[in-house]
Amino acid sequence: MKKYLLIPGPTPIPPRVSKAMQKPMIGHRSPEYSEILKRVVENLKYLFQTENDILLFSSSGTGGMEASIVNLLSPGDKAIVLASGAFGERFVKILESFGVEVISLRCEWGAIIDPKLVARELDRNRDIKAVFATLVETSTGVVDDIKSLGKICRERKVLLVVDAVSGLGVEELKTDDWGVDVAISASQKGLMTPPGLSFISISERAWEAAQTSRIYRFYWDFKTYREFLEKEQPPYTPPVSLVFGLDEALKMIREAGREKLWERQKKLAKATREGVKRLGLELLARGSFSNGVTAIKVPENIDGLELLKVLREKYGVTLAGGQERLKGKIFRIGHMGYIQFKDILIALGALEKALLSLGHRLKKGEAVKRAKEAHTESSK
Ligand code: PMP
């Protein structure tokens, strides 16, 4: 049975990227690796829309989150986290484990936190050093208003750290224009590369904060990575094959153009949402929908885990479940990375059949029809 992976990371890999990763090994101190590293950083800057330094780490996204915290802050510092889902809560956990005092702003999962609340909290607590937000909260499928947060933080001279692990390559991120001091992303989502690499964009203001940060670190030390990057080298052995893959994926993105990518994502997301609604299902988010992942409420008469099992075992379609408090209550369709419109249609078709087999009432064929209409409508 052919398998379809529609989860919010890791995503399927384009054949060009798979092929690039099969290239013979090279040394990471070779001129050839330096050329690749330079090009990868240049192309990441293009996607992050930044002139800042970008450092590459051998880690998943969480490693990038931790690296940002240990380089910017000191025990006893205060930070605000917009904790609107599982990944906002991850920032809270990492910060607290390093002794940072956290003010967590929370909301119902599926909603977003109004940036005005952040401004109010910053005005009440003048000693806050940094605000942590998530571009795409993957657990709920909503997008934070990074532009407004950037303005609020800049006006108050507070650092803004953004988790763009699920966001980069999916949503537009104007790192410099919006005043994002640290943006973190990873290889396995919008960037169509296997998991294992994270990358971090660091502003001048963030570099200043790194001078005085007093959390112990060695492997994650930004300064070491920057010194080596100036020599076009990594400080430690990188996952060379993954870097080959990332290089190829970024070339593909550059060839198509970043605007095309965001436009394509928008169309896929719209088609997915419209198709799902036509199945009689309800979306978790009320607005501020992500273009990379759609979270859907499991109907009351259906067992969410059984639904995913039927999809996977009978139709070869893997979707994601809900995380933490949303486990069993929602499921998620990932439409980021190397996902094409026909994959969405296959997923919707399989979803329709699986729902029918579990006793959900719907009108056959309507979801795929509506998704096609929505896809065409958004092309106009
Ligand atoms: N942040 C967000 C928004 C994510 O979606 C993820 C991965 N699902 C992470 C952080 C953590 O990344 P990783 O699993 O690569 O450590």
Side-chain angles (χ1 to χ4, degrees), residues 56-343:
L56 230 66
F57 292 87
S58 315
S59 79
S60 78
T62 307
M65 294 165 84
E66 174 162 334
S68 305
I69 289 165
V70 300
N71 277 280
L72 292 185
L73 299 176
S74 300
D77 276 349
K78 271 193 186 172
I80 289 180
V81 178
L82 286 86
S84 55
F87 294 102
E89 292 294 347
R90 186 163 302 176
F91 263 144
V92 175
K93 284 185 200 142
I94 305 173
L95 284 159
E96 287 182 340
S97 71
F98 286 104
V100 176
E101 203 180 306
V102 180
I103 298 177
S104 310
L105 301 180
R106 296 195 164 98
C107 60
E108 196 187 333
W109 284 21
I112 65 163
I113 290 152
D114 186 344
K116 285 197 207 91
L117 293 178
V118 178
R120 201 173 70 191
E121 212 53 52
L122 285 172
D123 292 339
R124 260 197 221 150
N125 299 275
R126 297 286 179 168
D127 52 351
I128 304 262
K129 206 152 168 203
V131 170
F132 290 78
T134 310
L135 177 59
V136 173
E137 177 48 79
T138 324
S139 61
T140 62
V142 301
V143 183
D144 259 346
D145 180 357
I146 303 298
K147 186 177 177 185
S148 300
L149 289 170
K151 186 162 180 288
I152 287 165
C153 289
R154 230 179 326 189
E155 282 167 0
R156 292 162 179 81
K157 298 192 169 42
V158 172
L159 294 169
L160 176 61
V161 179
V162 174
D163 167 353
V165 171
S166 252
L168 193 74
V170 175
E171 315 282 344
E172 172 149 43
L173 173 64
K174 291 190 172 179
T175 302
D176 291 357
D177 281 6
W178 295 349
V180 177
D181 293 294
V182 174
I184 306 141
S185 196
S187 49
Q188 78 272 25
K189 305 210 181 206
L191 294 187
M192 307 181 288
T193 305
L197 283 167
S198 67
F199 13 90
I200 309 181
S201 149
I202 305 154
S203 74
E204 266 318 307
R205 286 195 325 155
W207 278 113
E208 278 166 32
Q211 302 291 333
T212 55
S213 151
R214 284 180 292 100
I215 296 180
Y216 294 121
R217 56 187 181 261
F218 180 82
Y219 188 72
W220 299 116
D221 189 46
F222 281 177
K223 209 159 138 264
T224 311
Y225 281 77
R226 179 156 75 169
E227 280 164 14
F228 274 83
L229 191 60
E230 280 163 7
K231 298 182 278 183
E232 294 164 358
Q233 296 225 348
Y236 317 113
T237 315
V240 175
S241 304
L242 283 182
V243 179
F244 286 156
L246 179 64
D247 183 32
E248 196 62 29
L250 286 165
K251 278 185 198 162
M252 287 173 67
I253 290 173
R254 195 98 201 221
E255 282 162 18
R258 57 192 176 201
E259 290 77 13
K260 277 259 167 58
L261 190 68
W262 300 320
E263 198 45 45
R264 206 181 72 88
Q265 284 299 140
K266 210 188 239 173
K267 284 168 60 178
L268 287 184
K270 172 93 180 152
T272 307
R273 287 197 300 271
E274 290 302 313
V276 159
K277 283 195 275 182
R278 196 55 72 86
L279 289 170
L281 303 178
E282 200 186 328
L283 303 175
L284 176 74
R286 298 256 168 266
S288 205
F289 299 110
S290 148
N291 290 325
V293 54
T294 298
I296 303 144
K297 292 186 184 171
V298 175
E300 268 179 17
N301 54 337
I302 296 227
D303 175 341
L305 298 181
E306 183 62 20
L307 175 64
L308 292 178
K309 188 164 176 255
V310 172
L311 279 165
R312 196 173 54 240
E313 291 179 1
K314 223 165 152 196
Y315 302 104
V317 172
T318 301
L319 305 183
Q323 290 171 282
E324 300 177 14
R325 73 180 73 160
L326 292 176
K327 199 174 168 74
K329 299 199 173 121
I330 64 159
F331 64 98
R332 294 170 298 153
I333 302 181
H335 32 80
M336 57 177 72
Y338 187 57
I339 294 286
Q340 292 170 338
F341 182 50
K342 66 175 188 329
D343 300 321

